[in-house]
Amino acid sequence: YLAIVLSSRGDAQLEGRSIETLLSLNIAGAIVAPLGVHSDMQLMRSLRARIPMVFLDSSLDDDTPFVGTNNFQSVPLITEYLCRSGEPPTYFDMPPVNRNGPERKLAYVKTMERLGLKPEIIAVTSQNDWRFEDIAFEEARRVLRGSGFPTRTVLCANDRCAVGVMAAVYQHGLRIGREPGCDIRIAGHDDQPHSRYGCPPLTTVAQDFDQLAQSSVVILLDRVEREDGDERAPEQVRLEGKLVMRASA
């Protein structure tokens, strides 16, 4: 098989054109990491009707095979660690661009309630906006100029939000980290490549990127190669995250 890679770059129009390009080609199947709320569902359904398809990272429906991270395992994992090792975390939300945001917030709330602790949430814009760093930076600045964060630990919905929060905290003159003398701890989710190079390096939950890719390809090729008319329930694979402890929390 020859792989064709197209990127939406967070733009709904680019995603739509990418799907139209795929529809115009004689391809065997597609692995799609959908933009989310602003994805063109009619185009997605047209693509799925033509070829086998697998959603990666975020799903748009329950009728298409899906491979992603189990937010109800990964978020409790880091929430419990932060509670054990210091003040309980305040949750810093992300824009509702896809299912991951609401799932992660709900997983945090349920974990805090199970531990007998009060959930604290910093909300951000309700608009569909992928400028996570900018949004988190501005919201964190607003919080710090006011009464500050409810606790001295902040769990961000993803690493990109954490980058914005860390920048705002640094400009506010606070020291980030888990060592004595630090003012605040900050953690994220995803373990994006740049997270280990932050100042300080970011504590986070690592998604198993290799296994996410492998599982997606295995499911897709299985559907491509099976005989016509062999209908099965769509696989829904959710992989566990791994706690990565670094200097930020």
Side-chain angles (χ1 to χ4, degrees):
Y1 293 95
L2 175 66
I4 299 173
V5 180
L6 301 171
S7 174
S8 69
R9 298 174 184 172
D11 185 297
Q13 289 186 340
L14 274 178
E15 182 182 68
R17 286 202 292 269
S18 296
I19 296 172
E20 289 172 349
T21 299
L22 294 178
L23 286 168
S24 70
L25 301 173
N26 184 24
I27 59 175
I31 297 172
V32 180
L35 187 59
V37 175
H38 282 180
S39 292
D40 189 323
M41 289 302 300
Q42 183 174 350
L43 278 175
M44 287 289 185
R45 284 191 287 267
S46 296
L47 185 64
R48 191 181 66 184
R50 288 269 303 276
I51 59 172
M53 189 170 75
V54 178
F55 281 136
L56 173 64
D57 182 55
S58 177
S59 179
L60 297 181
D61 58 47
D62 297 323
D63 301 320
T64 306
F66 166 68
V67 178
T69 298
N70 183 358
N71 293 311
F72 291 98
Q73 177 271 335
S74 59
V75 173
L77 181 68
I78 194 165
T79 302
E80 291 170 359
Y81 161 72
L82 294 171
C83 290
R84 289 195 308 269
S85 56
E87 285 192 22
T90 295
Y91 185 79
F92 197 98
D93 204 5
M94 61 183 281
V97 295
N98 55 35
R99 289 188 177 185
N100 282 325
E103 281 189 1
R104 291 177 185 179
K105 180 167 64 176
L106 178 59
Y108 161 80
V109 170
K110 287 188 173 183
T111 303
M112 293 290 282
E113 291 176 345
R114 175 168 55 80
L115 295 174
L117 300 169
K118 179 185 176 183
E120 300 282 0
I121 298 174
I122 302 297
V124 297
T125 177
S126 60
Q127 296 180 355
N128 182 277
D129 196 328
W130 282 83
R131 298 177 300 112
F132 296 157
E133 295 88 349
D134 294 341
I135 291 168
F137 176 75
E138 293 299 333
E139 182 60 28
R141 286 181 67 192
R142 186 193 66 78
V143 171
L144 291 167
R145 287 170 178 168
S147 57
F149 289 103
T151 68
R152 294 194 302 167
T153 302
V154 179
L155 171 59
C156 299
N158 59 45
D159 290 0
R160 290 182 57 191
C161 286
V163 168
V165 173
M166 292 174 75
V169 167
Y170 172 78
Q171 288 192 11
H172 199 71
L174 299 179
R175 184 180 177 189
I176 303 167
R178 54 192 173 105
E179 300 298 326
C182 291
D183 302 299
I184 190 169
R185 298 187 301 160
I186 298 175
H189 190 292
D190 293 345
D191 197 27
Q192 295 197 3
H194 59 253
S195 299
R196 69 190 66 186
Y197 302 114
C199 187
L202 182 66
T203 291
T204 186
V205 178
Q207 301 189 80
D208 192 339
F209 295 117
D210 289 343
Q211 191 58 49
L212 286 169
Q214 291 176 23
S215 297
S216 300
V217 172
V218 167
I219 292 173
L220 181 64
L221 293 182
D222 176 65
R223 289 192 165 248
V224 168
E225 295 171 359
R226 75 175 57 162
E227 296 180 1
D228 291 341
D230 182 10
E231 294 294 335
R232 309 179 196 174
E235 297 92 330
Q236 302 288 311
V237 177
R238 291 174 173 80
L239 303 174
E240 293 191 352
K242 179 181 178 182
L243 181 64
V244 179
M245 292 178 288
R246 300 192 179 107
S248 72

